[in-house]
Amino acid sequence: MGRSRITARDVAAAAGVSQPTVSRVFADNARVDPATRDRVMRAAGDLGYRPNRLARAMSRGRSHTVGLIVAGLDNPFYADAVDRFSRALQARGYHAVIVTASNDAADLDGQVRDILAMQVDGLILASVSIDNALARAASQAGVPLVLFNRGQHGTDLPTVTSANHDGGRRAAHLLVDRGHRRIAHVSGWQGSATGVDRQRGFLDGMADRGVAPLACIDSRYDRDRARRAVHDLFGADVTPDAIFAGNDLIAFAVLSALRHDLGLSVPRDVSVLGYDDVAMAAWPEFDLTTFRQPAGRMVDATIGMLMDLIDGRPVPDRLTEIRSDLIERGSVRAAP
Amino acid sequence: MGRSRITARDVAAAAGVSQPTVSRVFADNARVDPATRDRVMRAAGDLGYRPNRLARAMSRGRSHTVGLIVAGLDNPFYADAVDRFSRALQARGYHAVIVTASNDAADLDGQVRDILAMQVDGLILASVSIDNALARAASQAGVPLVLFNRGQHGTDLPTVTSANHDGGRRAAHLLVDRGHRRIAHVSGWQGSATGVDRQRGFLDGMADRGVAPLACIDSRYDRDRARRAVHDLFGADVTPDAIFAGNDLIAFAVLSALRHDLGLSVPRDVSVLGYDDVAMAAWPEFDLTTFRQPAGRMVDATIGMLMDLIDGRPVPDRLTEIRSDLIERGSVRAAP
DNA sequence: GAGGTCTGTGAATACGTATTCACAAGGCGG
DNA sequence: CCGCCTTGTGAATACGTATTCACAGACCTC
């Protein structure tokens, strides 16, 4: 097991040049005699040399590495996002160091400081919010960060989300316009900006139409909690005829509870509306009407913003909100 | 934006000691006077110093970083595995550099060499198989690797999988024992060891019982292909009364096709058996009987094996197969 | 043909930490 | 009181690359 890595010095010796010349050949920005370059490239090929990225990072002060901190990988939306992030970064010569976090702020602090010690060039926080102390630590270290789909109220940290408030509002409009009057919201976690914004949008949208919402129940993005919420809703005197769910996974849980626990039919008895448009939403078991968060566009915007920050380019907008389009399937009834 | 990272030298100056002493305090294996240690720790705390992990890696020849190459993040089983891997590695002071790969060998080669240049201490290949040239490149670089759930026939690379052949065989036994005689297999990709082993096990299990399999169709882990396979099966003269699916995702596609395209009832008309036991299998829409691949145990075994290899400890078994237990739910009919 | 610019390369050094080596101070046994 | 061992620390150096600086030679201009 040869820990005998080939170094630029080895290549230099083989090609009859000095180590800096090898470095210049691989740097691509310095002028090298074509004949010399050929010799070096041939020697490098023969020896199987690849520049040590750690050493390069040390020397240039750029690791070409980005920290990707994500919670909720059990949600296919975020699994998909991680997939896209990693590909997008690779395409730009970067690599992602992945850290899976809980929503526990104490853990997160250590994890972020740990990953900052790895000299990442940037930080993406997906589905995770951070406090000001942490944001300051990152900015003090000169490491830019972008929040993905989990804005932070009361800060001006660069953020990419879908237009959650707008989506929530349009959800309310849609359900009212389809003739529903007893509309409940099984919301996302009210400790997350995503959950809060969608709920506020929903409430504003209801107010727009002059209809009082039946109830808002926090599911905390938990399937069991969502199921119990449905049971509670249907145990009351006035029962909903439509449910707006905080995201698709919640909507699936709501569908299960309605159909399998309560024996109700969707959308005949109750309409269900989701948010995200994960792949499963199109499966015939769910056939979920939902607002699509365009993961591809959101990831591209995030990467673009991060790269601008890393390279010191001005960032047009610190807050990018991408509109969610309604994907109409079969879980919300047609207009009466 | 201060690129002005605090270095050990700064801490040394503040504490009135030399840089190596600071290094010793943080190394934890060298003897330092308690009073000195206190002064250094205090200074480090005041300045917010954390050792630069890149420099540490350069100096020690250990990056405490592992490459995690994964395909199929759209399968919740692998999303869950990534989550577990990242947590398990963090718990041991390691970090994961994630690379999402397709099953295209040409891409993979570049990606692996790229990540080797990052001086990772080890490599985990999840749901990805590699050719011998690549394995040699890694071993030549002195970087151990472990295959997770995608063994490689004809090599002796360290591998952790579930007991796929055994599982396939028991799948056949179960279906025959439940009175089925027209059993089809909508298999996983026959370019993957996982898919091949489960199918071979299935065929051997059928032979054990003296029942001829109705058909084996390669779904390539693709939902549409699986759906077409079901259509084909039910377009033939003899139609199946049970289907063993290559994994849970395939089983879900099969269920959709049976119920929504063909109007059949499960398990009354057809039994469906899966493999993996992803979380969704327990949802009432699917209620899937399946073999559980214990992700936690498999990940632990993988990490354990990799750490042994990294630290130069002898590895008890290069091939770890973890038995899959049957999780009986409602998609396979009871004994007649 | 002298002075100037341009091109290509090597020597030296920086990046931040860990480690080896040397050394001073202190404790101890004889 | 001398030699020896132990303990704690600093000076020097290594890890592998990128970059700065200096310099040699080629080429050009007037």
Side-chain angles (χ1 to χ4, degrees):
Chain A
M1 185 181 294
R3 263 284 166 206
S4 59
R5 297 284 302 148
I6 312 283
T7 74
R9 201 177 308 270
D10 302 327
V11 176
V17 298
S18 69
Q19 173 267 319
T21 296
V22 174
S23 178
R24 275 185 275 257
V25 167
F26 280 87
D28 238 28
N29 58 356
R31 311 197 61 80
V32 183
D33 186 88
T36 307
R37 172 182 304 266
D38 264 16
R39 283 214 317 286
V40 170
M41 288 305 275
R42 195 182 324 277
D46 291 349
L47 274 62
Y49 168 75
R50 310 249 356 216
N52 180 327
R53 291 189 53 159
L54 252 45
R56 175 173 282 193
M58 276 288 296
S59 188
R60 298 217 289 197
R62 279 277 135 89
S63 63
H64 275 240
T65 286
V66 164
L68 176 56
I69 302 181
V70 56
L73 260 187
D74 51 319
N75 184 337
F77 179 77
Y78 291 108
D80 182 40
V82 165
D83 195 346
R84 290 173 189 272
F85 273 125
S86 115
R87 286 178 204 279
L89 287 168
Q90 283 165 237
R92 292 169 186 255
Y94 279 74
H95 280 283
V97 177
I98 191 169
V99 174
T100 56
S102 52
N103 270 310
D104 178 351
D107 289 357
L108 187 63
D109 192 278
Q111 290 171 326
V112 168
R113 287 175 201 279
D114 218 44
I115 212 170
L116 286 176
M118 292 187 73
Q119 313 301 110
V120 294
D121 293 340
L123 229 39
I124 297 171
L125 287 95
S127 178
V128 162
S129 46
I130 65 172
D131 59 24
N132 285 323
L134 211 48
R136 212 177 315 121
S139 104
Q140 196 169 351
V143 176
L145 91 190
V146 178
L147 300 178
F148 174 84
N149 214 32
R150 184 63 57 93
Q152 185 71 9
H153 291 124
T155 68
D156 64 339
L157 297 173
T159 302
V160 175
T161 65
S162 71
N164 289 307
H165 185 278
D166 176 66
R169 168 174 250 149
R170 286 191 293 142
H173 293 175
L174 175 74
L175 293 174
V176 172
D177 294 351
R178 293 296 165 85
H180 294 293
R181 288 297 175 272
R182 306 190 309 280
I183 305 173
H185 178 37
V186 178
S187 78
W189 181 39
Q190 292 300 300
S192 73
T194 314
V196 169
D197 290 348
R198 287 178 197 166
Q199 174 162 328
R200 285 194 192 149
F202 168 74
L203 293 175
D204 289 346
M206 294 296 284
D208 292 342
R209 292 290 191 268
V211 178
L214 193 62
C216 288
I217 304 183
D218 187 345
S219 73
R220 295 203 198 175
Y221 297 122
D222 177 76
R223 206 178 141 85
D224 283 333
R225 231 176 260 271
R227 188 173 162 217
R228 286 201 300 274
V230 172
H231 292 177
D232 291 348
L233 285 169
F234 282 84
D237 291 340
V238 182
T239 61
D241 61 356
I243 297 179
F244 171 45
N247 69 13
D248 283 355
L249 281 192
I250 300 300
F252 298 148
V254 168
L255 284 173
S256 289
L258 290 173
R259 290 172 175 157
H260 293 89
D261 296 348
L262 304 176
L264 295 170
S265 167
V266 174
R268 205 191 56 208
D269 302 323
V270 188
S271 285
V272 174
L273 180 56
Y275 205 109
D276 274 354
D277 193 34
V278 299
M280 285 159 50
W283 293 9
E285 284 82 1
F286 305 111
D287 195 32
L288 184 71
T289 296
T290 189
F291 286 90
R292 170 175 296 168
Q293 289 202 104
R297 296 226 311 279
M298 289 172 67
V299 165
D300 288 348
T302 305
I303 297 288
M305 197 181 279
L306 189 65
M307 292 295 148
D308 284 348
L309 289 165
I310 289 175
D311 295 339
R313 285 188 294 270
V315 174
D317 297 299
R318 297 184 78 75
L319 176 61
T320 300
E321 282 198 334
I322 296 183
R323 182 183 161 91
S324 293
D325 290 322
L326 177 69
I327 305 297
E328 180 120 34
R329 297 202 182 89
S331 68
V332 170
R333 77 178 183 202
Chain B
M1 184 179 299
R3 263 281 167 207
S4 59
R5 296 283 301 147
I6 313 284
T7 74
R9 200 178 308 269
D10 301 328
V11 176
V17 297
S18 71
Q19 173 266 319
T21 297
V22 175
S23 177
R24 274 185 276 259
V25 168
F26 281 86
D28 239 25
N29 57 355
R31 309 197 62 81
V32 184
D33 186 87
T36 308
R37 172 183 304 265
D38 265 17
R39 284 214 316 286
V40 168
M41 287 306 276
R42 195 183 322 279
D46 291 349
L47 274 61
Y49 168 75
R50 310 253 350 220
N52 180 326
R53 293 189 52 157
L54 252 45
R56 177 173 281 195
M58 276 289 296
S59 188
R60 299 219 288 196
R62 279 277 135 88
S63 64
H64 276 239
T65 288
V66 165
L68 176 56
I69 303 182
V70 56
L73 260 186
D74 51 320
N75 184 338
F77 179 77
Y78 290 108
D80 182 39
V82 165
D83 196 346
R84 291 172 189 272
F85 273 125
S86 117
R87 287 179 204 277
L89 288 168
Q90 283 166 235
R92 292 169 184 256
Y94 279 74
H95 281 283
V97 177
I98 192 171
V99 173
T100 56
S102 51
N103 270 309
D104 179 349
D107 289 357
L108 186 63
D109 193 276
Q111 289 171 326
V112 169
R113 288 175 200 279
D114 218 43
I115 212 170
L116 286 177
M118 291 186 74
Q119 313 301 110
V120 293
D121 293 339
L123 230 39
I124 296 170
L125 287 94
S127 177
V128 162
S129 46
I130 65 173
D131 58 26
N132 284 323
L134 212 47
R136 213 177 316 121
S139 103
Q140 197 168 350
V143 177
L145 91 190
V146 178
L147 301 178
F148 175 84
N149 213 30
R150 184 63 58 93
Q152 184 71 9
H153 291 123
T155 67
D156 64 339
L157 298 173
T159 302
V160 174
T161 65
S162 70
N164 289 308
H165 185 277
D166 176 66
R169 168 174 251 149
R170 286 192 292 143
H173 293 175
L174 175 75
L175 293 174
V176 172
D177 295 350
R178 293 296 166 84
H180 293 293
R181 289 299 176 271
R182 306 190 310 279
I183 306 174
H185 179 36
V186 179
S187 78
W189 181 39
Q190 292 299 300
S192 73
T194 314
V196 169
D197 290 347
R198 287 178 197 165
Q199 173 162 329
R200 285 192 193 151
F202 168 74
L203 293 174
D204 289 347
M206 294 296 283
D208 292 343
R209 291 292 192 267
V211 178
L214 194 63
C216 288
I217 304 183
D218 186 345
S219 74
R220 295 203 196 176
Y221 297 122
D222 177 76
R223 207 178 140 83
D224 282 335
R225 233 177 259 269
R227 187 173 164 217
R228 285 202 301 273
V230 171
H231 292 178
D232 290 348
L233 285 169
F234 282 85
D237 291 339
V238 182
T239 61
D241 62 356
I243 297 179
F244 171 45
N247 69 12
D248 282 357
L249 280 192
I250 300 299
F252 298 147
V254 167
L255 283 172
S256 289
L258 290 172
R259 289 172 175 156
H260 294 89
D261 295 349
L262 305 176
L264 295 171
S265 168
V266 174
R268 204 190 56 207
D269 301 324
V270 188
S271 286
V272 174
L273 181 56
Y275 205 109
D276 275 354
D277 193 34
V278 299
M280 286 159 51
W283 293 9
E285 285 82 0
F286 305 111
D287 194 31
L288 184 70
T289 296
T290 190
F291 285 90
R292 171 176 294 168
Q293 289 201 104
R297 298 226 311 279
M298 290 172 66
V299 165
D300 289 346
T302 305
I303 297 288
M305 196 180 279
L306 189 63
M307 293 295 147
D308 285 347
L309 290 164
I310 288 175
D311 296 338
R313 285 188 295 270
V315 175
D317 297 300
R318 296 184 77 75
L319 176 60
T320 300
E321 283 199 331
I322 296 183
R323 182 183 160 91
S324 294
D325 291 321
L326 178 68
I327 305 297
E328 178 118 37
R329 297 200 182 88
S331 67
V332 171
R333 77 177 182 203

